[in-house]
Amino acid sequence: MSKYILLVQPKYHTRFPPLGLLKISSYMKNKGYKTKLVYGEAPIKRKPKEIWVTSLYTYAWKPVHRAIKYYQSKFQNVPIKLGGIYASLLPNHAKNSGAEIIEGIIPEVEKYKPDYSLVPNWDGSILFTSRGCINKCPFCAVPKLEGKFRSEIDSIYDYIELFHKRIIFWDNNILASPNIFKIIDELYKLGKKVDFNQGLDSRLITNELGENLSKLKIPLYRFGYDSSSYKKRLENAISILKENGVRGRNVLLYVLFNYKDTPEKFLEKVRDAFKWGVVCYPMRYQPTDCLKKNTFISKNWTKEELDYLARARRVMGYGGAFPPYNRLVEKIEKANNFNEAFEVWPINWRESIKNTILNKNKISNQIRPRNPKFGNSLSDDFISKIGIKN
Ligand code: SF4
């Protein structure tokens, strides 16, 4: 009998390695199997015992089905298991692939440290110290995927690789963890870059937490600006961070749009972000079960307004974000309404900004998130060149 397990990450766009598959690899190796990780439809000669496929966004289901069909035709009678976010959110749709569906987290696998030997060029340890969330935001898939908040581990040492340069947390609400101060203390001692990738809950930022967080190497603090009602809590969290020496350019707000707020309310949120001197990343709402990206249009928005904003992000923004650089801040401040604010610049303005970015800056970091709440910071070089306020 074949003693190896084939692990497949379908060909959808992601900057991250497939964490679930890396944990399954450790789990299978512990049971005596060998494992192999491939991307998409790879030429495989030896028949595996089982094939495990992962999935991500629901709208990225096609590459998942394509990979499953490919391996089904290559290896008849080899069981194929499909897990991950798409499979958990839309199990009935995922069943059409012909794979066995694994919904949610596999408890016996969860405790394993990811098998990073499968991704030797990857430089970060990814971990969840908790699952679930204390909140139940109606637009978010986390309550459905992970349920109630629970702390999973109280120390990170056993889950990181010391040769990695950074530590990436995928906790959905890490500040709610009863172990947060212990975790911060361990991070401080490790001295590596820290990425709270899923964002921080602005409601939970206290003076004590702000002081402790600011001692860590955090290139970017991310918060959600989902509703206008978050204004006070965000203002408070940002001011606490600033009092502790964090610069505005190291704070990014994911500003939700195309949900309940109107375009004018969205403009107010962007103005708030600029007033606080932080980077604004517009986050388009998509239903958690959408099968085609960017097709949902909220009743408060029109297709034209969504197209307008998308164009403004491409032309006036950077990497999809609006950094608070002086000219943009001025434009947004002076605008009388949403259309005026996001009307793209005349060609000479655009060219001057584009040239600043293209000629003088080599940004390797990206600021896009991993999932609807899911990046890195803007480089100092870029920031200084385009004049972002602190
Ligand atoms: S959006 Fe954030 S705070 Fe709200 S339920 Fe999802 S993870 Fe929790």
Side-chain angles (χ1 to χ4, degrees), residues 298-355:
S298 137
K299 67 177 172 35
N300 291 328
W301 287 71
T302 63
K303 183 176 180 314
E304 290 66 37
E305 285 162 340
L306 293 169
D307 290 347
Y308 215 65
L309 181 55
R311 186 157 178 253
R313 293 175 71 183
R314 279 196 310 274
V315 178
M316 305 193 299
Y318 184 79
F322 292 131
Y325 51 82
N326 300 340
R327 268 184 153 172
L328 185 57
V329 171
E330 204 181 308
K331 183 176 192 308
I332 299 285
E333 265 169 14
K334 281 187 181 158
N336 289 310
N337 52 41
F338 172 88
N339 280 12
E340 227 175 274
F342 299 104
E343 178 182 31
V344 293
W345 276 313
I347 194 79
N348 56 338
W349 280 45
R350 277 172 20 211
E351 285 306 310
S352 101
I353 292 288
K354 206 166 127 198
N355 289 339

Side-chain angles (χ1 to χ4, degrees), residues 245-262:
V246 175
R247 294 177 296 185
R249 68 200 201 191
N250 296 112
V251 177
L252 180 141
L253 302 185
Y254 290 122
V255 182
L256 190 69
F257 68 100
N258 190 38
Y259 187 54
K260 291 196 173 156
D261 285 352
T262 59

Side-chain angles (χ1 to χ4, degrees), residues 133-146:
C133 185
I134 54 170
N135 303 312
K136 270 192 171 176
C137 305
F139 52 83
C140 177
V142 169
K144 194 171 172 194
L145 282 169
E146 299 187 2

Side-chain angles (χ1 to χ4, degrees), residues 1 4 22 25 33 48 89 110 131 141 148 165 199 217 221 242 247 254 256 258 303 374 385:
M1 187 169 60
Y4 103 96
L22 301 188
S25 176
Y33 294 104
L89 286 173
E110 185 61 8
R131 290 284 189 171
K148 282 191 182 147
K165 289 188 193 140
K217 292 181 186 163
Y221 291 79
K242 285 192 170 178
R247 294 177 296 185
Y254 290 122
L256 190 69
N258 190 38
K303 183 176 180 314
F374 298 93
K385 284 183 174 90

Side-chain angles (χ1 to χ4, degrees), residues 16 90 97 125 144 147 159 179 317 326 363:
F16 293 97
L90 294 177
S97 66
S125 293
K144 194 171 172 194
Y159 297 89
N179 306 308
N326 300 340
I363 296 180

Side-chain angles (χ1 to χ4, degrees), residues 222-241:
R222 302 175 173 85
F223 295 101
Y225 198 172
D226 302 325
S227 148
S228 301
S229 65
Y230 287 23
K231 183 170 177 169
K232 275 223 150 50
R233 66 180 74 149
L234 277 165
E235 200 164 20
N236 181 51
I238 292 167
S239 99
I240 289 175
L241 291 177

